[in-house]
């Protein structure tokens, strides 16, 4: 005890001496290449928050203790560490950090570096992600990458978003990119039955980065699934020699719909009494805003607990995630996920074993989305409940009347429980007998089971209605095995770096679904779906004299979705790069990086929604729904039925879509790469489009046939700019802006040589089978097909008056014209990050220009007949009726095609970091979808297909975050 007290006393005596011993370290920091002084260099004492920055002349002065370590760092330069041992002066020369350009980028079946990449490859890392209570991973990169557009599917709990890379390349087949998670390509049709979003099984907080492969030279190695681009998602792992680290993050959120459909208020509705066709006998005295009654404030919470540790030869990381999110319709999404990664190195680090596993349980409580339409069309003069406390209804004499939207929510249950495992095991072995040769094997599985049940109460407006009970279950299994040999060698004799890869891949998809529904009758069915891909691939890359880059790839794909004659596809890709910065004539230029890239490649598309479209298959009668009576039983008099086998339409010559793409780009950097950017242009042609098209009666066994129909071309220009605007000790500012210009055109529909041939598409509400868009050569695939509205001298639309385009003195279908489109001409992302001492602020704007939306809510219900001309009841009208005075629906008027340019403040986050001795605490406040600047007067200008109707409104979220790191 005495010894301990003496030691403590000695420490107390020496502490003031230690403080007194603190001296000032001085010096100058210069650029090693040209000996010029470097202003703005960070000089920090390691392990502390004490530091300074160099002045305009590169000078610094900092109070420092004996044996403390000074860290000199600057963006784009190698960080240096120097121990202070009492030197009177420490001058430092720092050099450009080749590692910044040598940043590793994953590509298909391998990796490259940023400076050696020849394709259109873009990385979005964790530090660049959008912040907030995000449960759908695709929302992390919204607005962050040129050429990549993420459109939210709405405000539902657990809602995802539509990802488009360079606009997509198909018509009826999927336009979704191929997504690869830790080396495992997931099913492009979705990861599990019953899920709202295929990516929800991935915890956004567990993602390290997204790498987007945009052009065909980069994606061709994925062959038949790469026409719409590829996204590689890498999840977080531990690091070598890392001390035990424990992290806890909590995000609490509230969300409320940002906008609602504009309908008649109770007072406006009662004012219709002046119209002779309006029946005021049942009009109430209430002023009920049914949408306001319908939508609630949703709350949510996300918990993340992470433990990680690294050793000399191994590391592990374990993350537990619980996410709960309520939608504005009281729908609910919950996720419980366990994420594990383990890395082990053996055989003197020649063998690396990596296991990544995720076990997830997703639960959805869906709401009846029909309540949205009911809230828009229900009588606003009626109270929510009648005098007896029951939900107000129209009554059993109005079978087709809308049901009280609150009744729909309260008497509907749809629960889905999904248990999913995504696991991947990787072997990376450096073969000892040949330097530079390695073997890589990747085995993965994505396995999901779902169980669901649904209850729908009988329609209270229908006296003969019955309840509906439904039970469903499903199984999705995706197994993958690929292996390849990779040879990397720096051949000094010819001053060339060689990177060669060759391998084999096999993947199988199995889906089984069971469905049982009971209403008046019971319907039971089981479906099984199966398909497989077998592939061989190779790539060769050469870096000659650190100046000239050549890369070529090839993939041979075989798909069970096509017949033997069309089963095999060949997908080549070639790209070139020229590191202009390394040429002698640019040695003393103001560029810090300059590279020219060009690429060409062919990719495919085989995600057609049917695995057997080339086969003549037969569908058996199920649940006695398609039986034929052949007589009656002579004993009982009961009818006798036999089951049928119905032949389905098919095209035995069905084959791949093929997309050929050309790419030309320039990467540049200035001011020691404080300002960097890319200009990237592309041209793309897709042939043999897979599409479902109408065929003449008798030409096949169906009226709609999946076949290859024609060609689409698209072109675009992508600009991205990253800047470190200001960097000092207490203040920093960096920014990113990306702009994408694009256009797409159908150039051929080969089923018919008629230049006026078209395929109608884009179903709308109002009538039966009406469509508002057109597929026609010479036009964008999202082009609208409408009559040209005639206006009076005051600029008001004249009901039923349209331009007689063909001059035949009558208005017919021949007068409808292709007009405007839903896809934007350009879209923009703009992000700023600010840092002041321990405070940080970042925000992201997104903008879209040249896109139009068809306001189907207004065209369907913006007329008097929406109120009065209903069978046995009076509904409500869209408030657009007050502007037009239309009596009838005018569904095909171009009046309802509205310009939908917008600028949206998508994400704002304010954070403050508080360091303690053994704990770091970061608090944050985040808001999403704060406001939208637009002239579009509908619900939302950002609708993926350009048709607004019964759209679940996007929400405005406020999120409080707390993150503890021990």
């Amino acid at each position: 005890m005495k010894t301990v007290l003496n030691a403590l006393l000695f420490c107390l005596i020496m502490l003031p001496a230690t403080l007194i011993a603190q001296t000032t370290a001085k010096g100058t920091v210069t650029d090693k290449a040209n000996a010029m002084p470097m202003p703005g260099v960070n000089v920090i004492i390691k392990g502390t928050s004490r530091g300074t920055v160099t002045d305009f002349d590169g000078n610094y002065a900092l109070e420092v203790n004996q044996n403390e370590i000074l860290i000199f760092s600057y963006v784009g330069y190698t960080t240096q560490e120097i121990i202070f041992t009492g030197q009177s002066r420490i001058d430092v020369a720092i050099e450009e950090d080749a590692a910044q350009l040598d940043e590793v980028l994953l590509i298909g079946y391998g990796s490259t570096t940023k400076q050696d990449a020849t394709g259109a490859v873009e990385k979005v890392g964790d530090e660049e992600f959008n912040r907030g209570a995000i449960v759908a991973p695709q929302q992390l990169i919204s607005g962050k990458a040129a050429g990549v557009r993420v459109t939210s599917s709405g405000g539902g709990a657990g809602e995802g978003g539509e990802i488009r890379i360079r606009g997509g390349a198909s018509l009826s087949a999927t336009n979704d990119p191929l997504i690869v998670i830790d080396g495992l390509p997931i099913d492009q049709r979705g990861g599990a039955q019953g899920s709202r979003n295929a990516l929800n099984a991935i915890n956004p907080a567990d993602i390290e980065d997204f790498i987007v492969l945009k052009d065909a030279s980069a994606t061709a190695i994925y062959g038949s699934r790469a026409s719409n681009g590829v996204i590689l998602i890498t999840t977080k792992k531990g690091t070598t020699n890392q001390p035990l680290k424990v992290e806890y993050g909590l995000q609490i959120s509230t969300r409320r719909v940002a906008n609602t459909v504009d309908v008649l208020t109770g007072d406006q509705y009662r004012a219709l009494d002046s119209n002779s066709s309006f029946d005021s006998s049942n009009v109430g005295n209430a002023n009920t805003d049914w949408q306001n009654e319908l939508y609630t404030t949703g709350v949510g919470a996300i918990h993340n607990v992470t433990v990680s540790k690294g050793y000399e030869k191994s590391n592990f990381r374990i993350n537990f995630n619980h996410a709960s999110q309520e939608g504005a319709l009281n729908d609910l999404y919950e996720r419980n996920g366990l994420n594990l990664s383990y890395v082990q190195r053996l055989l003197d680090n020649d063998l690396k074993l990596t296991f990544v596993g995720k076990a997830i349980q997703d639960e959805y409580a869906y709401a009846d989305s029909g309540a949205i339409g009911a809230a828009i069309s229900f009588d606003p003069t009626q109270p929510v409940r009648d005098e007896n406390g029951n939900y107000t209804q129209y009554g059993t004499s109005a079978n087709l009347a809308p049901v009280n939207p609150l009744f729909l929510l309260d008497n509907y249950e749809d629960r889905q429980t999904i248990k999913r495992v995504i696991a991947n095991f990787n072997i990376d072995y450096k073969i000892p007998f040949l330097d530079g040769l390695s073997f890589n094997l990747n085995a993965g599985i994505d396995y999901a089971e779902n169980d669901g049940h649904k209850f729908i109460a009988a329609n209270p407006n229908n006296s003969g209605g019955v309840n509906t009970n439904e039970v469903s279950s499903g199984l999705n299994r995706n197994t993958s095995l690929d292996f390849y040999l990779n040879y990397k060698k720096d051949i000094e004799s010819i001053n060339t770096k060689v990177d060669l890869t060759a391998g084999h891949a096999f993947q199988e998809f199995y889906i089984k679904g069971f469905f049982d529904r009971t209403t008046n009758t019971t319907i039971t069915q089981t479906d099984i779906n199966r398909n497989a891909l077998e592939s061989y691939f190779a790539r060769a890359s050469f870096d000659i004299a650190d100046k000239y880059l050549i890369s070529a790839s090839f993939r041979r794909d075989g798909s069970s979705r096509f017949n033997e004659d069309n089963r095999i596809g060949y997908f080549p890709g070639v790209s070139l790069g020229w590191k202009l910065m390394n040429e002698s004539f640019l040695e003393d230029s103001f560029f810090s990086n300059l590279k020219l890239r060009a690429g060409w490649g062919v990719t495919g598309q085989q995600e057609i929604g049917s695995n057997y479209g080339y086969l003549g298959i037969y569908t058996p009668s199920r649940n006695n729904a398609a039986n034929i009576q052949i007589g009656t039983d002579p004993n009982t008099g009961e009818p006798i039925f036999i089951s049928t086998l119905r032949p389905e339409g098919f095209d035995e010559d069905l084959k791949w879509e093929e997309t050929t793409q050309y790419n030309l780009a320039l990467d540049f950097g200035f001011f020691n790469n404080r300002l960097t950017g890319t200009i990237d242009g592309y041209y793309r042609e897709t042939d043999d489009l897979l599409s479902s098209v109408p065929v003449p009666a008798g030409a096949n066994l169906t009226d709609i046939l999946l076949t290859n129909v024609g060609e689409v071309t698209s072109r675009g220009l992508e600009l991205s700019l990253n800047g470190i605007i200001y960097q000092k000790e207490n203040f920093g500012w960096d920014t990113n802006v990306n702009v994408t210009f694009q256009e797409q055109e159908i150039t051929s529909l080969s089923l018919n040589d008629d230049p006026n041939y078209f395929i109608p598409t884009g179903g709308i509400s109002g009538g039966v089978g009406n469509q508002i868009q057109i597929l026609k050569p010479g036009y964008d695939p999202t082009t609208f097909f409408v009559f040209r509205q005639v206006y009076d001298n005051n600029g008001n639309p004249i009901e039923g008056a349209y331009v007689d385009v063909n001059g035949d003195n009558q208005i017919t279908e021949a007068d409808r014209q292709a007009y405007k489109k839903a896809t934007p001409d350009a879209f923009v992302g703009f992000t700023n990050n600010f840092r002041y001492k321990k405070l940080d602020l970042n925000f992201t704007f997104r903008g879209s220009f040249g896109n139009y939306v068809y306001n189907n809510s207004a065209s369907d219900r913006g007329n008097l007949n929406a109120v009065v001309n209903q069978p046995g009841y009076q509904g409500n009208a869209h408030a657009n009726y007050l502007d037009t005075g239309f009596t009838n629906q005018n569904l095909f008027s171009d009046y309802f095609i509205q310009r939908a340019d917008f600028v949206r403040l998508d994400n704002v986050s304010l954070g403050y970091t508080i360091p303690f001795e053994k704990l770091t605490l970061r608090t944050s406040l985040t808001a999403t979808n704060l406001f939208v600047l637009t002239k579009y007067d509908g619900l939302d200008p950002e609708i993926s297909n350009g048709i607004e109707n019964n759209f679940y409104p996007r929400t405005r979220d406020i999120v409080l975050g707390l993150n503890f790191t021990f």
Side-chain angles (χ1 to χ4, degrees), residues 912-946:
Y912 188 76
T913 302
I914 308 171
F916 297 99
E917 183 178 356
K918 294 185 178 181
L919 166 69
T920 299
L921 168 64
R922 184 178 186 274
T923 63
S924 62
L925 182 65
T926 303
T928 63
N929 191 24
L930 266 74
F931 62 80
V932 182
L933 303 177
T934 183
K935 290 185 178 180
Y936 178 68
D937 61 8
L939 182 65
D940 198 303
E942 191 174 11
I943 307 290
S944 62
N945 66 351

Side-chain angles (χ1 to χ4, degrees), residues 850-870:
N851 53 299
Y852 287 76
V853 169
Y854 172 69
N855 192 336
N856 195 194
S857 297
S859 69
D860 180 26
R861 307 203 60 79
N863 56 84
L864 181 61
N865 280 343
V867 178
V868 301
N869 193 22
Q870 304 300 321

Side-chain angles (χ1 to χ4, degrees), residues 27 31 36 99 229 250 261 274 307 374 475 479 527-528 533 583 613 627 658 685 771 825 841 844 876 924 935:
D31 186 328
M36 296 295 291
L250 169 65
V261 176
S274 59
V307 179
L475 182 153
T479 53
D527 293 295
I528 295 177
L533 280 167
E583 295 287 358
N627 294 345
E658 282 196 351
E685 294 179 347
Q771 295 173 303
D825 296 325
L841 169 69
T844 297
N876 197 6
S924 62
K935 290 185 178 180

Side-chain angles (χ1 to χ4, degrees), residues 283-549:
V283 173
N285 298 317
N287 279 284
T288 303
D289 185 333
W290 286 103
Q291 293 175 87
N292 188 58
E293 297 289 340
L294 182 69
Y295 299 124
T296 62
T297 298
V299 298
I302 298 176
H303 302 265
N304 275 288
V305 180
T306 305
V307 179
S308 59
K309 182 172 176 57
Y311 304 91
E312 183 179 356
K313 298 287 187 180
S314 64
N315 63 73
F316 72 88
R317 183 179 184 275
I318 301 174
N319 166 266
F320 173 75
N321 167 253
H322 171 76
S324 176
Q325 185 181 69
E326 291 180 351
L329 287 177
N330 272 330
D331 47 328
L332 177 67
Y333 168 70
E334 286 191 315
R335 175 180 61 227
N336 287 287
L338 184 65
N339 308 287
L340 169 67
S341 71
Y342 179 76
V343 178
Q344 177 70 58
R345 296 180 183 272
L346 302 167
L347 305 179
D348 293 329
N349 291 331
D350 285 344
L351 177 61
K352 179 183 177 183
L353 306 177
T354 303
F355 173 78
V356 179
K358 308 175 194 307
I360 310 102
Q361 179 167 300
D362 284 342
E363 294 197 39
Y364 291 88
Y366 291 105
D368 188 344
S369 59
I372 296 174
I376 294 171
S377 58
F378 208 92
D379 182 349
T381 69
Q382 303 300 324
V384 174
R385 294 179 183 270
D386 61 23
E387 62 277 7
N388 298 318
N390 299 316
Y391 284 119
T392 303
Q393 305 287 1
Y394 279 98
T396 56
S397 61
N399 292 348
L400 299 180
V403 176
N404 186 308
L406 282 303
F407 174 90
L408 289 176
L409 290 188
D410 284 354
N411 292 273
Y412 178 93
E413 184 176 354
D414 183 358
R415 303 279 306 201
Q416 296 286 334
T417 299
I418 303 163
K419 297 177 181 179
R420 188 173 178 185
V421 172
I422 303 174
N424 210 66
F425 178 66
N426 179 266
I427 299 174
D428 189 352
Y429 179 51
K430 296 178 182 178
I431 297 176
F433 58 78
L434 181 58
D435 184 35
L437 181 64
S438 63
F439 171 78
N440 191 289
L441 182 143
N442 204 69
I445 184 169
D446 180 0
Y447 181 89
E449 293 181 354
N450 84 290
D451 290 289
H453 69 271
K454 181 187 290 186
F455 170 81
I456 306 174
N459 186 338
N461 295 327
N462 185 346
S463 58
V466 296
N467 297 336
T468 298
N469 287 281
E470 185 176 301
V471 176
S472 62
S473 63
L475 182 153
N476 292 65
R477 185 181 67 230
N478 163 17
T479 53
S480 174
L481 178 67
D482 60 65
F483 59 85
Y484 60 88
L485 289 169
N486 176 250
Y487 178 69
K488 288 184 179 181
K489 188 69 175 178
D490 187 352
I491 306 175
E492 296 180 0
S493 60
I494 57 174
N495 197 15
T496 299
K497 295 178 182 178
V498 177
D499 187 344
L500 305 175
T501 299
H504 172 270
F506 178 80
Q507 192 162 12
E508 183 188 56
F509 303 95
Y510 177 86
I511 300 175
K512 181 179 181 180
F514 170 78
F515 174 84
D516 184 280
R517 173 186 289 170
T518 302
T519 50
N520 292 319
T521 59
T522 299
I523 298 175
T524 302
Q525 66 186 56
T526 300
D527 293 295
I528 295 177
N529 214 297
R530 193 172 192 171
N531 71 292
L533 280 167
E534 184 174 24
S535 312
Y536 297 89
F537 56 87
R539 180 175 52 235
S541 300
F542 306 92
D543 182 347
I544 303 170
D546 201 24
K547 297 178 184 178
Y548 315 111
L549 305 169

